[in-house]
Amino acid sequence: MSYRSTRSSEPQSVSFEEAVITGLATDGGLFIPAEVPKLPESFLKEWSGLSFEALAFNIMRFYIKQSEISDDELKTLIAKSYSTFRAKEVTPLVAIDSQKNLYLLELFHGPTYAFKDVALQFVGNLFEFFLTRKNAAKKAGESRDIITVVGATSGDTGSAAIYGLRNKKDVSVFILYPTGRISPLQEQQMASVLDDNIHTLSVKGTFDDCQDVVKKVFGDAEFNQKYHVGAVNSINWARILAQMTYYFHAYFQLLNKIPEAEKADFKVKFVVPSGNFGDILAGFYAKEMGLPIEELVVATNENDILDRFLHSGKYDKVEVKETYSPAMDICVSSNFERFLWYMIKRTNGGNDDLKTGAILAEYMKDLSSKGIFEVTPETLKLSQSVLDSARVSNEETVKTIKETYANTSNNYILDPHTAVGVTTSLRKIASDKDSNTKYISLSTAHPAKFSSVVNQALSGFSEYSFEKSVLPEELKKLASLPLKIKLVDNAELKTIESIIVEELAKEGKN
Ligand SMILES: *Cc1c(COP(=O)(O)O)cnc(C)c1O
């Protein structure tokens, strides 16, 4: 399988390795596979009893050439990546309300207790694999290839990247966050990782200041050339690929849970709390490959650009709002561009890759100059046939956490992101009124990571206590661990670059 950019009007053939290591195409577009593999129908029987790891292997094999990664190498990478998960199923499916046909797919059993681990554990091993191979081929005296990962975080992404890349050979990681503006638990999670290659920078300023200076580091061509600055953000193709596995795995887990008599007419809809559209995009690819998904539902918080688009055909950027589900606080959803490429290709793109790339490049130009673009009625209609959407307010988020706790026999506690999905699922169940339709709502984080909203929702219950009801032992221990934090008193390019150079020298890399 080779890859191409979503914005290109020229034929292209980029390797998997190049797509993963460079992240973004030179024309600013995102990498997509040259074609989406279609599975023969027999896979529904043949794959139904497979483990998470075996499914991951079968799926990834379609997207990575043997000549790039052999079967044995790919199996080793997958086994290593998911050995760090606490759950045997890796991403277990639990019935939350079997009467309503509502199930939760728990994606938070990785090292940082949020869904980004599913992808970043794999991406970290993949980076190391590619670098080790490159460096093994070097002659004596030639300098080693390194990657310097630089990123800004408002919480979740930073810790998942750190846990994915800790202790990886030839990779160094610099994560910037605004001092005092992330939760203590998130700070402890990142800064308690003491490996030499991990650098946690607490920067005086806002999240935007951090993000701006990171962009400047990427824009500094000379610096980039010397230190091979890399990103592991949500547009990296390997993240999307790794996430496809849990859609298949969830489908088969559900099939094994429901009574034999219900299997003939059963339909499944996935509801996904969305921000950058990376999580749900993996579901779109699974559906395209042939997994029988009836519908994919985008659940947004008050940052609702996707919900507004799916009603109007206008992709209209507005200011980002702070909500109770901060990992979904975005003003544009970067991965949506990949989905749109397919919708355009099948409508006014005339089934032509090059014409599709040209149309999409125009839309993206409009987005950056005018803050808005509008697709054709045909493209909108096709998009609506694949995706449904909903917008959920802060008040509804809290109410759903409260009601789920009260109405489940085991007092199930939702994190606020998952609650956005569950609110959407319950709305859909009420309007569908179809007992053959099963809902799988994706659970993207452990509630311990978002204590203030969870406490706000549940402190009225007399038996509830955050320490006893929510906080896992492993996270409790974080508070007493030593932390490695570099305090930085400004978000200037010069300051950040000199810290990177200094720390790389300490690691013996420059
Ligand atoms: C990143 C994140 C999301 C949003 O996922 P996207 O791929 O950006 O749509 C939802 N919930 C949590 C907890 C996250 O960390």
Side-chain angles (χ1 to χ4, degrees):
M1 180 72 75
S2 69
Y3 290 82
R4 59 169 292 109
S5 164
T6 49
R7 294 192 198 174
S8 183
S9 53
E10 284 166 33
Q12 283 178 314
S13 175
V14 171
S15 71
F16 176 73
E17 177 170 356
E18 192 181 337
V20 170
I21 296 290
T22 55
L24 199 67
T26 45
D27 57 15
L30 276 54
F31 290 114
I32 50 172
E35 61 202 76
V36 180
K38 299 274 184 231
L39 299 173
E41 213 163 280
S42 58
F43 93 91
L44 280 175
K45 266 215 164 71
E46 287 159 12
W47 291 12
S48 68
L50 296 184
S51 66
F52 184 96
E53 290 82 355
L55 282 172
F57 175 81
N58 285 357
I59 295 160
M60 289 180 184
R61 193 67 284 174
F62 283 104
Y63 291 92
I64 310 169
K65 282 188 192 140
Q66 290 274 356
S67 58
E68 289 199 68
I69 303 180
S70 72
D71 281 357
D72 282 349
E73 288 164 339
L74 186 56
K75 280 183 187 151
T76 306
L77 283 170
I78 291 168
K80 201 170 161 190
S81 302
Y82 299 110
S83 67
T84 55
F85 278 64
R86 295 175 300 278
K88 182 177 144 282
E89 295 284 1
V90 183
T91 56
L93 187 76
V94 302
I96 178 110
D97 191 334
S98 44
Q99 262 144 34
K100 287 193 173 130
N101 287 322
L102 175 59
Y103 298 81
L104 280 182
L105 179 60
E106 293 183 342
L107 301 176
F108 57 72
H109 295 286
T112 76
Y113 290 77
F115 102 94
K116 292 189 173 66
D117 287 328
V118 181
L120 283 166
Q121 287 291 303
F122 178 70
V123 169
N125 288 315
L126 204 54
F127 270 37
E128 185 180 54
F129 172 81
F130 287 138
L131 282 170
T132 303
R133 184 162 66 187
K134 268 193 185 151
N135 286 325
K138 299 227 162 187
K139 297 189 190 71
E142 257 185 298
S143 66
R144 296 179 75 81
D145 272 10
I146 59 162
I147 294 183
T148 307
V149 170
V150 184
T153 188
S154 54
D156 263 3
T157 316
S159 51
I162 286 173
Y163 276 78
L165 294 167
R166 67 186 297 181
N167 211 9
K168 297 282 182 264
K169 203 167 165 52
D170 300 312
V171 182
S172 295
V173 184
F174 293 83
I175 299 292
L176 286 68
Y177 65 90
T179 305
R181 300 198 193 201
I182 66 170
S183 78
L185 190 130
Q186 285 174 325
E187 184 171 49
Q188 290 157 9
Q189 248 184 343
M190 292 195 279
S192 61
V193 176
L194 304 178
D195 305 51
D196 285 345
N197 74 326
I198 302 296
H199 308 276
T200 307
L201 311 186
S202 173
V203 181
K204 200 169 167 185
T206 62
F207 172 64
D208 285 338
D209 295 333
C210 292
Q211 202 160 33
D212 285 346
V213 72
V214 167
K215 278 190 194 145
K216 284 182 196 154
V217 173
F218 276 87
D220 182 345
E222 202 183 322
F223 190 83
N224 218 313
Q225 178 122 32
K226 196 156 171 201
Y227 299 106
H228 302 276
V229 182
V232 289
N233 46 27
S234 76
I235 49 126
N236 197 300
W237 171 253
R239 286 181 63 170
I240 308 299
L241 177 59
Q243 288 164 193
M244 291 178 204
T245 309
Y246 52 70
Y247 285 90
F248 286 86
H249 194 42
Y251 180 88
F252 292 126
Q253 286 184 80
L254 181 60
L255 210 55
N256 294 332
K257 273 187 208 300
I258 58 175
E260 211 49 50
E262 290 179 27
K263 283 183 185 165
D265 301 315
F266 121 102
K267 294 188 209 109
V268 58
K269 297 189 177 182
F270 282 91
V271 179
V272 189
S274 295
N276 257 325
F277 203 77
D279 195 354
I280 195 167
L281 182 71
F284 170 70
Y285 278 103
K287 183 171 160 68
E288 288 284 301
M289 288 171 78
L291 188 67
I293 298 174
E294 183 70 14
E295 189 174 51
L296 289 159
V297 186
V298 183
T300 77
N301 63 22
E302 294 173 23
N303 296 292
D304 59 351
I305 185 165
L306 293 169
D307 185 49
R308 285 181 286 118
F309 172 84
L310 286 162
H311 286 99
S312 67
K314 292 193 182 91
Y315 197 72
D316 183 5
K317 185 174 160 178
V318 296
E319 284 281 298
V320 61
K321 284 186 205 163
E322 260 183 54
T323 73
Y324 289 169
S325 42
M328 289 151 61
D329 288 348
I330 45 89
C331 56
V332 295
S333 297
S334 356
N335 272 301
F336 194 58
E337 181 170 341
R338 285 187 166 116
F339 172 78
L340 266 186
W341 193 88
Y342 295 95
M343 298 301 109
I344 295 167
K345 181 172 170 181
R346 287 168 202 173
T347 51
N348 53 320
N351 207 28
D352 180 326
D353 287 356
L354 307 184
K355 189 174 169 201
T356 303
I359 295 171
L360 193 52
E362 273 309 306
Y363 285 160
M364 291 302 155
K365 225 161 83 191
D366 284 349
L367 183 66
S368 80
S369 63
K370 301 177 203 142
I372 186 171
F373 67 82
E374 183 172 5
V375 300
T376 63
E378 295 74 33
T379 303
L380 173 62
K381 203 164 157 227
L382 184 64
S383 306
Q384 289 165 334
S385 73
V386 185
L387 297 177
D388 193 7
S389 68
R391 171 191 196 272
V392 174
S393 70
N394 279 336
E395 291 66 39
E396 290 171 296
T397 305
V398 172
K399 189 163 167 263
T400 298
I401 296 174
K402 203 186 268 177
E403 290 179 355
T404 304
Y405 180 86
N407 298 337
T408 47
S409 56
N410 59 348
N411 295 128
Y412 195 93
I413 300 175
L414 300 170
D415 105 285
H417 304 79
T418 309
V420 168
V422 169
T423 309
T424 303
S425 301
L426 293 171
R427 261 192 230 162
K428 292 276 298 177
I429 289 166
S431 66
D432 278 4
K433 297 192 189 72
D434 173 16
S435 63
N436 288 331
T437 301
K438 318 283 176 195
Y439 278 83
I440 297 180
S441 215
L442 271 51
S443 174
T444 52
H446 190 284
K449 296 199 80 172
F450 300 94
S451 56
S452 69
V453 182
V454 173
N455 286 337
Q456 180 187 334
L458 302 181
S459 57
F461 294 92
S462 59
E463 75 289 358
Y464 169 81
S465 126
F466 182 75
E467 298 276 318
K468 289 206 186 76
S469 320
V470 184
L471 196 60
E473 279 305 317
E474 192 186 356
L475 296 182
K476 237 175 249 180
K477 285 187 208 134
L478 282 179
S480 58
L481 294 180
L483 303 182
K484 181 174 88 169
I485 301 175
K486 186 143 191 105
L487 290 169
V488 184
D489 63 12
N490 66 70
E492 298 295 327
L493 180 63
K494 272 209 170 68
T495 312
I496 301 300
E497 286 187 344
S498 66
I499 290 173
I500 294 175
V501 173
E502 198 179 301
E503 294 294 324
L504 287 176
K506 281 190 210 159
E507 283 185 54
K509 292 176 187 160
N510 55 357

